[in-house]
Amino acid sequence: MKCNIAVLPGDGVGPEVTAEAVKVLEAVGRKFKHTFEAKLGRIGGNAIDEFGTPLPEETIRISKASDAILFGAVGGPKWDSPTAKVRPEDGILGIRKSLGLFANIRPVKAYPQLLDSSPLKASVVKDVDMVIIRELTGGLYFGKPKKRWETSRGRRAVDTMSYSEKEIVRILKVGFELARQRRKKLTSVDKFNVLATGRLWREIATEMGKEYADIQLEHVLVDNAAMQLVRNPGSFDVIVAENTFGDILSDESAMLGGSMGMLPSASLSSLPAVGKRAKGVGLYEPIHGTAPDIAGKGIANPIAAILSAAMMLRYSFGLQREADAIEGAVEGVLAEGYRTADIVARGDTPTPTSKLGSVIANYI
Ligand code: NAD
């Protein structure tokens, strides 16, 4: 198969971890006889420095012309001024919007080799194997009115949480379909006791649950979901939540996997059947940011980016065996004891970013 990929490394550790994901894809290409044609694009702070915009036209063009996008991360202290007119984050928000990517899929897995890296007890995290689906294009992030103003009694600001039936149905559909591909349990998260959007969300989830009679549907309030994620995380299979709730719950769950550097994600406009290619362009990225504290030191964990490449093979190209090969290689090298600094046991020598990427590529 010939696969056209837009590679957008971004800022900070983005280029360091993305380079390792590309290295691993090349190894998959050699082993399984696929051609991965990669086109590099600028995005984020470095694009602001060079072109005055976080999302140059050329990057949009390359992205739209590709089958899938491998993205690193954007942002950093250099571009953080509260008065800045353009922000690196607008680059990734703009790409998601222009491609209609409304479903963010974040698998969270506790690797047996890393149980001691989680701040939670090994006995609590040992059975964790879940996927969090976050709605990406609605809710508080985009609802209008959204503004800030001065009043005689001080400053004021407003954000609006707004969801249409269509937006709720399409993200819940991804949840039900993904649950069907896994252990057939869907946890729908809302705040129906307080929010009008929460009541609409639960009503629609209940209606759709009747069409998906083979799926065990449970409704959980977001505050309770936050608690259950640290109390009994192994009980979850697929969780689906609106934008803000999904953002917070998925970062909380990152700690179940031991490190931000371990968790991949996919942003899609539809969920393909197993082994089929997704419609539209999917975007694949580690859930972590640019990690300015460790950028340029060659010590970032590339596994989240590498596992994002595996998700790309699975969802954008329907290449199950190849995706399994990457995931198996990650588990294999962890079992052999290779660890970057964020997950290394005290007293052991950490493996540098580029070495870990090479070891995983060689394993494949
Ligand atoms: P972060 O994810 O960059 O870092 C949080 C912590 O996790 C840091 O201690 C960092 O060293 C560690 N970490 C992150 N990735 C790691 C990796 N691969 N290996 C080892 N350790 C890793 O979050 P932050 O510090 O809140 O944000 C830093 C910058 O990144 C900000 O400018 C923020 O806006 C941006 N950001 C971008 C994205 C994105 O592009 N999608 C997402 C989150 C944050």
Side-chain angles (χ1 to χ4, degrees):
M1 189 185 282
K2 183 162 176 272
C3 309
N4 293 313
I5 302 168
V7 179
L8 314 180
D11 309 312
V13 297
E16 299 171 44
V17 297
T18 309
E20 301 314 310
V22 170
K23 195 187 274 178
V24 168
L25 278 176
E26 282 165 356
V28 169
R30 282 193 296 277
K31 179 166 164 81
F32 294 92
K33 311 272 178 282
H34 302 301
T35 310
F36 296 106
E37 198 110 336
K39 288 216 166 59
L40 265 181
R42 305 290 285 268
I43 192 166
N46 67 84
I48 293 178
D49 289 350
E50 190 160 336
F51 306 105
T53 165
L55 188 56
E57 281 299 321
E58 176 64 2
T59 301
I60 300 179
R61 196 190 62 72
I62 293 172
S63 302
K64 286 192 168 163
S66 68
D67 301 315
I69 302 167
L70 191 61
F71 171 72
V74 289
K78 184 176 174 194
W79 305 281
D80 261 357
S81 159
T83 55
K85 293 221 167 52
V86 279
R87 304 190 157 276
E89 290 75 10
D90 295 337
I92 180 64
L93 294 177
I95 278 265
R96 286 177 184 152
K97 195 165 178 204
S98 72
L99 295 171
L101 304 172
F102 68 86
N104 186 230
I105 298 177
R106 298 182 168 192
V108 184
K109 193 169 160 183
Y111 289 90
Q113 304 85 350
L114 297 183
L115 289 182
D116 292 330
S117 301
S118 171
L120 295 173
K121 286 189 199 129
S123 59
V124 173
V125 292
K126 69 179 173 29
D127 296 323
V128 170
D129 180 2
M130 69 171 103
V131 179
I132 300 190
I133 302 173
R134 169 189 170 195
E135 202 288 327
L136 268 189
T137 55
L140 281 175
Y141 284 58
F142 300 98
K144 298 275 170 53
K146 181 186 212 44
K147 61 176 180 174
R148 172 191 153 130
W149 70 101
E150 306 281 336
T151 76
S152 55
R153 280 187 255 152
R155 287 166 288 181
R156 233 186 137 99
V158 64
D159 293 292
T160 304
M161 188 184 271
S162 161
Y163 270 104
S164 68
E165 177 165 357
K166 191 173 152 217
E167 287 172 313
I168 297 174
V169 167
R170 67 181 187 178
I171 191 71
L172 285 171
K173 184 161 183 270
V174 172
F176 280 110
E177 299 286 340
L178 191 59
R180 197 170 257 171
Q181 294 176 9
R182 292 174 46 93
R183 300 195 305 275
K184 298 194 167 49
K185 181 177 172 194
L186 179 65
T187 304
S188 171
V189 172
D190 61 44
K191 187 73 183 166
F192 107 118
N193 51 345
V194 177
L195 301 176
T197 44
R199 281 191 280 280
L200 181 62
W201 182 282
R202 188 172 292 204
E203 196 176 297
I204 293 173
T206 306
E207 288 162 10
M208 289 178 72
K210 293 185 186 127
E211 294 160 35
Y212 288 91
D214 55 323
I215 306 296
Q216 182 198 343
L217 170 67
E218 67 173 4
H219 304 281
V220 178
L221 291 172
V222 62
D223 36 346
N224 187 18
M227 184 181 75
Q228 297 302 337
L229 271 175
V230 287
R231 189 165 166 258
N232 188 17
S235 70
F236 292 110
D237 179 14
V238 178
I239 297 177
V240 61
E242 66 84 40
N243 204 341
T244 308
F245 297 163
D247 189 13
I248 297 168
L249 294 180
S250 56
D251 265 30
E252 181 188 1
S253 66
M255 285 298 100
L256 304 171
S259 164
M260 295 285 273
M262 293 295 297
L263 296 192
S265 81
S267 298
L268 305 176
S269 56
S270 68
L271 183 77
V274 176
K276 295 278 185 272
R277 290 180 74 141
K279 291 194 199 93
V281 183
L283 183 142
Y284 302 86
E285 58 175 311
I287 75 152
H288 62 74
T290 54
D293 51 337
I294 57 168
K297 297 185 178 161
I299 60 170
N301 188 342
I303 291 180
I306 290 169
L307 292 175
S308 300
M311 291 187 83
M312 180 173 83
L313 297 183
R314 176 164 285 127
Y315 291 120
S316 275
F317 301 113
L319 298 173
Q320 303 293 325
R321 264 185 332 144
E322 291 79 346
D324 288 346
I326 295 182
E327 289 161 1
V330 167
E331 294 206 27
V333 305
L334 288 174
E336 285 175 7
Y338 292 98
R339 308 269 191 281
T340 39
D342 54 316
I343 50 174
V344 79
R346 196 171 297 159
D348 285 357
T349 309
T351 310
T353 311
S354 137
K355 171 89 189 289
L356 189 63
S358 299
V359 174
I360 293 171
N362 289 341
Y363 196 104
I364 287 167

